Amino acid sequence: MVGVNDQALSMRPFFFCGIGGSGMLPLAQIAHGLGHEVAGSDRSNDQGHTPKKFAWLAQNGFALSPQDGSGITSADQVLIASAAVEDAVPDAARAKELGLTRMTRAELLSSFFNEAGYSVAIGGTSGKSTVTGMIAWILSEAKYDPTVMNGAVMKNFVDADNPFASARVGSPRIFVSEVDESDGSIALYKPTIGVLLNVSLDHKSIEELRALFGNYIAEAGCAVINFDNEEARNLASRADQMVSFAVREPSADIAVEPGSIEQSAFGISAAVLDNRSREVFPLILPMPGVHNLSNALAAIAAVSAAGIEVRTAVMALRNFAGLARRFDVVGTSPGDITVIDDFGHNPEKCAATLRTLKATPGRVIAFFQPHGYGPLKQMGDELAETFARELDGDDITIMCDPVYFGGTVDRSEGTERITTLINGHGGHAEHIPERTACGDAIVEMAKPGDRIVIMGARDDTLSSFARGVFERLE
């Protein structure tokens, strides 16, 4: 952040470049809720994608303009844009011409976050959005009024006034937010409570992640650490205060009684053990997968560090509705074919989703749209191993070309290499470049009992694609 102190920032209007994005939209909602004048642009709006979202923004006090620089009208504005927005983008070029201060999403978010009297950060390679939603719901049910920044729509907070509830605007003194390691911006946050879910390969090398997450834990007033994850557990010595949680490690502060886990296609239950008091509480979670049980333990541990009773947290999670695009069941057709919309995009997230599917009978048709050429190059080998390892011989993986929003990224290494690797590892994968053609192939091959999962990130139209596949099956 250059040239803006907190007092001056509080008086400035913001212009969000890419205001409809999963990271920008909730931050724009929070800024607007805190009294800022907010305007923005988005290529998706210019191209006619997700029109309901942009209509809602326009109707609720967000001034929208084409992404042609016309919305940049005053040097008093602050341009909010990701580092990936190049200077040649008209909004960025116009802002530079007028001498606007430019901030990244993380710089603005961390400014709001660090100003709060009590703050909870959720970090880790996988599970951040779900745990953020869980903590937000527990705090809300406990009659606190948190402001929440999330990267996904929290179904518990959706209503007619806010159908895009990836943010909750409450008291600015209690702030809950997921924090991102992929761009290194996690270093900007100074949380009262810092949750570390896991450390695994995504956008950065393991060595870089160890440094980032280690410093994050050291900065937190109290760290909440997943002892099932070896890399996270190894960083525990960096914490001043700590609450640990684990599904598999019974000695963690918040643990699970051995043998108590019961799974179904749409939920999981377990006996949660608070080793600090030796009390046991029955958790019934209306979302499937051991990874979601781990997420629930993380949320329980975090709010307990804030002084909320484990009993209160466990009861609140019985009514947790989940997040959009996190194992989000679109529907089951009359022919008994289920379509699931999911945010899985890195090896760990994809593995968690596929394991949840394979915990119950039926063939899996896994569609995967890589969320960029850079990430595909960084983790393509691990992704291939994941799909080959987690799926059986009857299952099939279908991949289209990576999503591409323009720019100068190297596109020499694409999806075909990944499907070749999957097949080389003993899996069954096909590369079909166009997504529409992938949909045609999925509908044609689907048969009763199949589960079709639509996976990918950074593309709002994936949900529409999933609904389209389901509607054709109906």
Side-chain angles (χ1 to χ4, degrees), residues 101-357:
T101 297
R102 176 169 171 169
M103 299 174 67
T104 65
R105 181 191 66 84
E107 286 171 335
L108 180 59
L109 173 59
S110 63
S111 176
F112 293 151
F113 182 91
N114 293 335
E115 281 293 296
Y118 206 94
S119 57
V120 184
I122 299 88
T125 316
S126 302
K128 294 188 292 292
S129 296
T130 298
V131 175
T132 301
M134 287 176 168
I135 292 172
W137 179 240
I138 295 167
L139 290 174
S140 179
E141 286 290 273
K143 307 306 180 186
Y144 292 91
D145 183 29
T147 289
V148 185
M149 168 73 187
N150 207 332
V153 172
M154 299 173 285
K155 293 182 179 180
N156 286 100
F157 300 113
V158 169
D159 57 29
D161 292 332
N162 187 11
F164 305 102
S166 50
R168 181 187 188 276
V169 180
S171 167
R173 307 308 301 162
I174 305 174
F175 208 115
V176 180
S177 180
E178 62 173 290
V179 294
D180 191 7
E181 82 290 343
S182 66
D183 58 359
S185 63
I186 192 172
L188 299 174
Y189 300 86
K190 304 182 186 306
T192 309
I193 297 172
V195 181
L196 179 57
L197 302 174
N198 38 58
V199 181
S200 62
L201 188 68
D202 194 341
H203 300 275
K204 293 185 179 294
S205 70
I206 288 294
E207 290 74 19
E208 291 174 298
L209 293 172
R210 286 169 182 157
L212 283 168
F213 286 126
N215 292 337
Y216 163 70
I217 284 174
E219 191 66 51
C222 178
V224 175
I225 301 177
N226 182 4
F227 268 32
D228 282 332
N229 183 266
E230 183 178 1
E231 289 284 350
R233 187 173 65 249
N234 288 342
L235 296 173
S237 61
R238 300 288 305 276
D240 287 334
Q241 298 181 50
M242 183 187 67
V243 177
S244 60
F245 68 93
V247 173
R248 298 187 301 273
E249 176 48 65
S251 66
D253 294 323
I254 301 296
V256 172
E257 282 207 324
S260 69
I261 298 173
E262 295 185 6
Q263 296 193 66
S264 71
F266 300 108
I268 189 166
S269 63
V272 175
L273 171 63
D274 185 346
N275 274 311
R276 298 165 301 181
S277 64
R278 300 304 299 170
E279 293 180 283
V280 179
F281 305 93
L283 172 66
I284 301 172
L285 192 64
M287 53 198 310
V290 174
H291 66 293
N292 278 320
L293 174 58
S294 179
N295 289 336
L297 297 183
I300 293 165
V303 298
S304 77
I308 293 175
E309 291 187 355
V310 172
R311 184 187 312 277
T312 300
V314 166
M315 291 303 295
L317 288 175
R318 292 188 176 200
N319 298 313
F320 181 62
L323 279 70
R325 300 214 66 235
R326 270 55 175 187
F327 208 90
D328 198 351
V329 178
V330 179
T332 299
S333 74
D336 192 31
I337 302 170
T338 300
V339 178
I340 296 154
D341 188 16
D342 190 77
F343 189 67
H345 63 279
N346 65 32
E348 187 161 338
K349 286 185 173 74
C350 291
T353 296
L354 298 176
R355 285 172 193 163
T356 300
L357 287 166

Side-chain angles (χ1 to χ4, degrees), residues 395-426:
D395 304 322
I396 183 169
T397 301
I398 296 176
M399 292 190 178
C400 65
D401 285 340
V403 65
Y404 175 64
F405 295 115
T408 57
V409 65
D410 178 10
R411 290 186 285 161
S412 61
E413 193 168 289
T415 306
E416 191 168 9
R417 184 181 79 86
I418 311 306
T419 54
T420 300
L421 285 172
I422 292 172
N423 292 325
H425 287 306

